């Protein structure tokens, strides 16, 4: 909706922020929306009676239209054919109320303009719905879910492109103020107060529904809290002329404050004031910024251990903030999970080896805490207040004569965790869940919850040759906990006690989960200069989960990113974004990471385009210790790649590279039923000569729907090697289709819908990441409305379908 886009009449201060007054248009709309119009009076069995003598006039899918938004309409004495997820308007020329008399029950929606419509339900075969009005009927033939939109072409335009019939609304952007009395963002590098503004590099997101009275409401599609991670910075755009001495310092204090505060998590109230009309509330009482300085508490087995003791937390129970929040997760009890990914790079550490034990050095090297100055050199600031430790903390060197509670040597142990946040309580203290292990956490996604079974959380550790983990709770799931008010206490119950496992994939399509349990993990063998590592206790194993997974012989993967749980089957999908020849040479392939080839541009060898693996747990129980697997999809450039690379048979309408974000539609609407809709987002550098990063919609099958496949890999100098793998069935334009492309130099990351599936939220991260303050290489989001100037900003977009149907179907 272009009327909300900056430069076209909307400014931040225009947002209606007063929720305390009388009934608003939005209140009326929600009340109408929630009123069920269905009347079922035992008529279903007698719908034939309504046929009377009237002939039904047939309408085909193609000739529908008639609605003011191009949607599908049907009137008395008509019949139409639609597919799952489409919006159908029941039109009437006379007064009266429609009632459904046959077929799977649907909710009749009274739209804001008074029209009556419904969303076609999920069906497995063509199914007839019959509706009556006065003495006539209308018939609607619903066919199973399909990707009904026309694929977006690959392109390098500086806008978000969506299919015909869809609209884009730019929502919260880098720097937008989310507190009263904070000025609009000037976007010229002079803005301050980033602890009250939307952070940079918006990443994963989730919409938490909220009622009109400000209570949690999982089914609200009109009002909610958008929780988004802020992973990193396009630092060149944050200051008037770019950053000062960003390589190794000394850094000006004001610049460092701004950069630190632009990291973390934002919580912003979103609301829809009319159909397809989204906005956000600048001074909502629920708005919150969580930054690298926000107080947190440690929970779980590592809480209070020596590993976590710092100057800030001398008893090892308290934490200070979160950093490099990449992907996420959410729980059925209404909390957000945020994950600390590339945290190690922010620390200055090199030069203190002589003051470190061999065990400490093995751990620090395994996690990459080796930097000479740390990202952005924050520790080089000399603060105006000498007791201000917000900068010094990023210097993790041990100091001679001091202990761990007198310097910042253990500060890196405070990062690398999954953090649970209660978005509905702005005063709540986030909790770091140490039972889930310490690594480069991409995300933390719950499997399918079933009463009486344990809760599983699936987690990728995103770096080359790292592993795929799952946590299984000690407690079994009780459905009543989903609606408890003490949400973080419910988190304590399921996330503080349990078993952490790491995955081992076997060549024959089976796999096992190896427990990271003290006493069952052998010593980690010596590697290079690092001697054998002897685990001392369970806390040691959780802090050094990578070392424990090494010792157990877990399968190193091609950069494990997001996971997603198919809500129908419980199968778990995992993106493996890419790998290089240095990460995995020609003879380093295995069945789960099977490809090695050359790709353009750059003549690079390895698995430049990535793949998506999926598993089915033994007994369909997510506490199982064994599974079967196959590779659902292989990324490829369809024009360039031969059949040993383009294994999934991609074509120009669905070829992609470097899958990262991955998400199945919600079960609250038909997109999550029967054959759930899957969304795939890319973070790519190998296909960007062809297209900007993209997002695809898919209707996947299941583990084992393909078969064994042997491919010929190619390395430098023409060397070849054979590799057998388990491949899923080929993609087709009906099962995989490009839905969206982003602006220049962006990554597409972050995806959710409203519970009704009629609005899709997507994160557009770091547009113009290679430009400079003088010469921005993107002007998005200004460019979305035709203004090709100004500095680029990461932002969330809300995408709606003009006819009101479920996005993607
Ligand atoms: Fe921050 Fe692995 O993506
Ligand atoms: Ca990611
Ligand atoms: Ca990525």
């Amino acid at each position: 909706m272009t009327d909300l886009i900056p430069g076209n009449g909307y400014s931040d201060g225009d947002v209606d922020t007063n929720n305390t007054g009388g009934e608003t248009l939005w209140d009326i709309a929600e009340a109408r929306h929630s009123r069920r119009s269905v009347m079922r009076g035992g008529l279903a069995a007698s719908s034939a009676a309504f046929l009377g003598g009237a002939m039904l006039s047939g309408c085909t899918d193609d000739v529908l239209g008639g609605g003011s938004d191009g949607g599908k309409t049907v009137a008395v004495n008509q019949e139409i054919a639609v597919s799952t997820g489409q919006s159908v308007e029941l039109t009437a020329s006379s007064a009266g109320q429609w009632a459904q008399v046959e077929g799977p029950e649907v909710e009749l929606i009274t739209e804001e303009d008074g029209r009556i419509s419904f969303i076609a339900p999920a069906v497995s075969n063509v199914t007839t719905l019959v509706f009556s009005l006065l003495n006539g009927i209308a018939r609607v033939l619903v066919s199973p879910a399909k990707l009904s939109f026309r694929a977006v072409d690959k392109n390098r335009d500086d806008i978000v492109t969506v299919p015909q019939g869809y609209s884009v609304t730019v929502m919260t952007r880098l720097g937008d103020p989310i507190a009263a009395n904070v000025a609009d963002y000037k976007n010229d590098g002079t803005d301050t107060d980033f602890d009250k503004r939307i952070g940079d590099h918006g990443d994963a997101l989730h919409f938490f529904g909220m009622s009109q009275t400000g209570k949690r409401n999982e089914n609200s599609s009109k009002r909610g809290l958008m929780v988004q991670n802020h992973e990193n910075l396009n630092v060149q755009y944050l200051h008037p002329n770019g950053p000062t001495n960003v390589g190794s310092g000394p850094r000006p204090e004001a610049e460092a404050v701004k950069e630190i505060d632009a990291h973390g998590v934002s919580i912003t109230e979103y609301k829809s004031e009319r159909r397809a009309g989204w906005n956000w509330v600048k001074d909502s009482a629920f708005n919150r910024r969580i930054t690298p300085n926000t107080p947190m508490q440690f929970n779980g087995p590592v809480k209070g251990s020596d590993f976590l003791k710092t100057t800030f937390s001398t008893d090892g129970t308290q934490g200070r903030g979160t950093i490099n929040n990449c992907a996420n997760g959410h729980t059925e009890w209404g909390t957000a999970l945020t994950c600390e990914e590339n945290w190690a790079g922010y620390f200055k550490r090199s030069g203190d080896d002589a003051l470190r034990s061999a065990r400490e050095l093995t751990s620090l090297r395994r996690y990459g805490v080796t930097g000479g100055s740390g990202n952005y050199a924050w520790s080089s600031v000399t603060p105006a207040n000498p007791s201000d430790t917000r900068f010094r903390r990023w210097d993790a060197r041990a100091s001679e004569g001091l202990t761990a509670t007198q310097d910042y040597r253990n500060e890196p142990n405070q990062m690398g965790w999954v953090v649970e946040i209660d978005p509905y309580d702005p005063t709540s203290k986030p909790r770091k869940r140490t039972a889930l292990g310490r690594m480069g956490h991409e995300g933390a996604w719950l499997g399918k919850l079933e009463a009486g079974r344990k809760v599983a959380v699936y987690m990728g550790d995103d770096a080359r040759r790292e592993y795929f983990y799952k946590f299984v709770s000690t407690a079994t799931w009780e459905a009543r906990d989903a609606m408890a008010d003490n949400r973080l206490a419910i988190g304590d119950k399921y996330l503080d006690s349990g078993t952490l496992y790491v995955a081992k994939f076997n060549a024959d399509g089976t796999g096992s989960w190896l427990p990271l349990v003290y006493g069952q993990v052998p010593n980690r063998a010596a590697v290079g200069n690092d001697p054998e590592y002897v685990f001392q206790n369970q806390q040691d194993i959780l802090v050094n989960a990578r070392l424990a997974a090494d010792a157990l012989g877990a399968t190193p993967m091609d950069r494990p990113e997001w996971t997603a749980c198919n809500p129908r089957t419980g199968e778990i999908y995992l993106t493996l974004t890419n790998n290089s020849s240095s990460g995995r040479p020609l003879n380093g392939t295995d069945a789960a990471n099977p490809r090695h080839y050359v790709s353009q541009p750059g003549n690079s060898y390895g698995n430049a385009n990535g793949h998506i693996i999926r598993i089915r747990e033994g007994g369909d129980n997510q506490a199982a210790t064994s599974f079967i697997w196959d590779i659902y999809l292989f990324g490829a450039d369809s024009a360039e790649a031969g059949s040993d690379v383009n294994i999934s048979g991609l074509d120009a309408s669905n070829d992609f590279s470097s899958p990262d974000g991955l998400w199945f539609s919600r079960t609250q609407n038909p997109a999550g039923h029967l054959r759930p809709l899957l969304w795939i987002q890319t973070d790519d550098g190998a296909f960007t000569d062809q297209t900007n990063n993209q997002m695809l919609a898919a209707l996947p099958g299941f583990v084992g729907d393909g078969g064994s496949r042997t491919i010929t890999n190619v390395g430098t100098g023409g060397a070849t090697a054979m590799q057998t793998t388990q491949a899923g069935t080929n993609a087709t334009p009906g099962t995989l289709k490009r839905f969206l492309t982003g602006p220049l130099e962006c990554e597409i990351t972050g995806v959710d819908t409203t519970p009704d599936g009629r609005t899709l939220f997507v994160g557009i991260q770091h547009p113009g990441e290679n430009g400079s303050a003088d010469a921005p290489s993107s002007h998005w989001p200004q460019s979305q409305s035709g203004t090709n100037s100004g500095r680029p900003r990461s932002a969330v977009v809300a995408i709606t379908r003009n006819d009101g149907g479920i996005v993607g179907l």
Side-chain angles (χ1 to χ4, degrees):
M1 297 298 289
T2 53
D3 58 334
L4 295 184
I5 293 170
N8 205 7
Y10 168 74
S11 72
D12 302 332
D14 289 340
V15 181
D16 172 18
T17 55
N18 185 353
N19 292 324
T20 60
E23 194 176 38
T24 64
L25 186 63
W26 172 79
D27 294 325
I28 297 165
E30 181 167 62
R32 280 183 178 168
H33 178 79
S34 62
R35 191 175 70 224
R36 291 180 64 85
S37 306
V38 175
M39 299 195 307
R40 296 171 63 81
L43 297 173
S46 59
S47 67
F50 283 83
L51 286 165
M55 289 295 292
L56 289 168
S57 63
C59 297
T60 70
D61 230 341
D62 299 324
V63 298
L64 298 170
S68 59
D69 49 18
K72 306 203 182 316
T73 65
V74 64
V76 166
N77 295 335
Q78 286 187 335
E79 174 180 298
I80 62 164
V82 301
S83 57
T84 296
Q86 294 188 323
S87 176
V88 181
E89 181 186 344
L90 296 165
T91 63
S93 57
S94 57
Q97 189 161 27
W98 284 99
Q100 186 179 0
V101 294
E102 191 173 311
E105 183 176 348
V106 298
E107 179 181 3
L108 296 188
I109 303 163
T110 304
E111 304 288 0
E112 286 86 336
D113 58 7
R115 293 182 295 162
I116 305 294
S117 68
F118 69 93
I119 300 291
V123 295
S124 48
N125 300 104
V126 175
T127 302
T128 303
L129 276 56
V130 179
F131 301 87
S132 71
L133 179 71
L134 300 176
N135 61 349
I137 63 162
R139 287 159 59 98
V140 180
L141 276 54
V142 182
S143 57
K146 63 179 183 182
L147 306 175
S148 66
F149 61 91
R150 183 174 171 183
V152 167
D153 291 337
K154 295 187 286 270
N155 69 79
R156 302 197 70 244
D157 299 336
D158 194 26
I159 58 167
V160 172
T161 304
V162 293
Q164 197 172 15
Y166 284 84
S167 296
V168 176
T169 301
V170 177
M171 298 293 292
T172 40
R173 303 155 293 183
L174 161 69
D176 277 333
I178 58 168
N181 304 320
V182 178
D184 289 351
Y185 195 58
K186 292 191 284 295
N187 197 23
D188 61 2
T190 63
D191 303 277
T192 57
D193 302 319
F194 275 78
D195 59 343
K196 303 181 190 69
R197 298 182 182 277
I198 297 293
D200 204 353
H201 276 219
D203 204 294
L205 55 81
H206 189 77
F207 177 84
F208 290 83
M210 194 161 67
S211 72
Q212 293 177 57
T213 55
K215 301 291 187 211
R216 178 182 170 210
N217 178 354
E218 288 293 306
N219 293 314
S220 171
S221 294
K222 295 286 182 182
R223 182 188 189 192
L225 301 174
M226 178 56 66
V227 179
Q228 190 184 30
N229 289 340
H230 299 287
E231 184 183 28
N232 201 346
L233 310 173
N234 273 4
V235 71
Q236 68 272 40
Y237 300 124
L238 284 184
H239 311 295
N241 301 301
T244 307
N245 303 331
V246 73
S248 55
R251 297 299 312 284
E253 179 173 358
E255 288 188 10
V257 167
K258 191 187 290 193
E259 293 163 16
I260 293 168
D261 287 344
H263 284 76
V265 180
S266 61
I267 301 172
T268 313
E269 183 179 336
Y270 276 31
K271 65 180 182 180
S272 171
E273 300 202 306
R274 63 186 184 284
R275 198 175 87 180
W278 280 96
N279 218 325
W280 50 278
V281 184
K282 177 184 171 184
D283 66 351
S284 167
F286 292 96
N287 290 353
R288 182 180 188 187
R289 275 305 313 283
I290 291 167
T291 75
N293 293 316
T294 300
M296 307 202 160
Q297 73 178 52
F298 277 95
N299 271 62
V302 187
K303 177 181 182 176
S305 78
D306 287 346
F307 290 103
L308 298 179
K309 290 177 180 170
T310 66
T311 305
F312 179 79
S313 179
T314 54
D315 66 359
T317 65
Q318 301 303 303
R320 178 157 48 164
T322 185
I323 193 85
N324 204 265
N325 303 83
C326 185
N328 67 347
H330 67 98
T331 68
E332 266 71 357
W333 51 95
T335 61
L337 302 175
T338 186
C339 300
E340 298 167 346
E341 188 194 18
N342 291 309
W343 48 271
Y346 291 82
F347 292 99
K348 173 179 181 145
R349 215 279 299 166
S350 68
D352 72 342
D353 285 11
L355 298 173
R356 295 284 197 167
S357 68
R359 286 172 45 78
E360 284 179 294
L361 287 173
T362 298
S363 171
L364 290 162
R365 288 178 188 135
R366 185 66 181 81
Y367 281 86
V369 187
T370 54
S373 52
N375 303 345
Y376 313 113
W378 291 333
S379 67
S380 69
V381 170
T382 302
N385 174 358
S387 63
D388 183 350
T389 62
R390 289 177 297 166
F391 313 103
R392 173 74 177 81
R393 69 180 288 207
W394 299 104
D395 180 351
R397 292 176 300 177
S399 303
E400 186 140 30
L402 299 183
T403 67
T405 56
Q406 295 169 322
D407 62 21
Y408 298 87
R409 70 186 68 188
N410 280 346
E411 202 75 15
N413 290 339
Q414 291 233 333
M415 299 296 178
W417 304 102
V418 174
V419 186
E420 186 175 15
I421 298 166
D422 182 352
Y424 297 101
D425 179 359
T427 65
S428 60
K429 197 176 196 180
R431 298 183 185 176
K432 295 202 170 191
R433 300 295 182 189
T434 64
L436 278 59
R438 177 172 165 268
M439 60 194 75
H441 274 294
E442 177 74 22
W445 289 274
L446 270 64
K448 193 174 176 179
L449 290 190
E450 293 176 90
R453 285 189 167 178
K454 295 176 185 300
V455 175
V457 185
Y458 295 86
M459 301 174 287
D461 179 357
D462 180 16
R464 292 190 182 96
R465 309 293 283 163
E466 291 300 344
Y467 307 119
F468 180 37
Y469 297 82
K470 82 168 170 180
F471 169 82
V472 177
S473 65
T474 301
T476 53
W477 175 243
E478 293 182 87
R480 68 180 179 200
D481 287 337
M483 296 314 297
D485 289 332
N486 53 344
R487 288 174 282 273
L488 290 174
I490 300 299
D492 295 349
K493 176 178 174 180
Y494 293 109
L495 301 179
D496 283 347
S497 175
T499 304
L500 183 64
Y501 296 89
V502 67
K504 181 179 175 65
F505 292 82
N506 302 320
D508 63 357
T510 66
S512 53
W513 290 107
L514 311 173
L516 277 69
V517 173
Y518 180 66
Q520 300 178 42
V521 179
N523 299 338
R524 195 252 198 180
V527 177
N529 293 329
D530 294 330
E532 180 180 54
Y533 191 90
V534 181
F535 296 99
Q536 296 185 326
N537 50 39
Q538 184 62 22
Q539 296 167 336
D540 191 4
I541 283 180
L542 292 170
V543 169
N544 291 297
R546 284 180 171 177
L547 291 171
D550 292 345
L552 286 166
T555 303
M557 309 295 283
D558 288 353
R559 293 188 53 198
E561 299 254 24
W562 291 45
T563 63
C565 176
N566 182 322
R568 179 93 193 286
T569 65
E571 291 176 347
I572 303 296
Y573 288 61
L574 167 70
T575 45
L576 296 160
T577 195
N578 56 56
N579 207 341
S580 63
S581 57
S582 58
R584 177 164 64 61
L586 177 65
N587 62 7
T589 62
D590 58 60
N593 303 275
R595 288 188 306 175
H596 190 102
Y597 54 96
V598 64
S599 70
Q600 306 303 334
N603 209 35
S604 63
Y605 285 84
N607 175 19
N609 305 122
H611 56 287
I612 304 174
I613 202 166
R614 61 186 168 186
I615 70 167
R616 180 178 180 181
E617 297 278 22
D620 293 322
N621 183 344
Q622 288 170 152
T625 53
S626 64
F627 57 86
I628 58 173
W629 64 270
D630 71 5
I631 295 178
Y632 160 55
L633 270 183
F634 293 85
D637 176 342
S638 68
E640 169 190 303
S643 61
D644 283 328
V645 175
N646 188 6
I647 297 171
S648 297
L650 306 182
D651 65 24
S653 71
N654 60 19
D655 52 357
F656 69 94
S657 178
S658 301
D660 188 346
L662 192 68
W663 182 76
F664 273 102
S665 290
R666 290 173 175 244
T667 56
Q668 293 141 307
N669 67 74
H673 302 162
L674 293 179
R675 194 172 185 189
L677 181 63
L678 176 69
W679 295 96
I680 302 166
Q681 304 180 311
T682 68
D683 172 16
D684 174 61
F687 198 31
T688 44
D689 57 328
Q690 305 288 317
T691 186
N692 295 340
N693 272 295
Q694 59 176 298
M695 179 164 166
L696 305 104
L699 293 169
F702 47 86
V703 173
D705 63 9
S708 178
R709 179 83 188 264
T710 299
I711 57 175
T712 302
N713 284 316
V714 177
T716 51
T720 61
M722 307 288 274
Q723 175 67 57
T724 298
T725 185
Q726 316 292 328
T729 193
N730 273 12
T732 69
T735 61
L736 181 69
K737 202 180 277 191
R738 184 177 303 106
F739 178 81
L740 172 153
T741 55
L744 289 166
E745 298 174 10
C746 81
E747 163 182 349
I748 308 295
T749 181
V751 49
D752 193 9
T753 66
T754 47
D756 64 11
R758 299 166 86 188
T759 299
L760 174 74
F761 297 109
V762 176
I764 307 297
Q765 191 189 60
H766 64 61
E769 66 172 341
N770 299 323
S772 65
D774 288 343
S777 49
S778 164
H779 302 293
W780 195 85
Q782 301 87 272
S783 54
Q784 192 75 30
S785 54
T787 301
N788 292 311
S789 62
R791 300 179 181 198
R793 304 162 74 178
S794 297
V796 176
V797 292
I799 296 166
T800 50
R801 189 164 150 176
N802 299 346
D803 67 9
I806 290 177
V807 176
L809 292 181

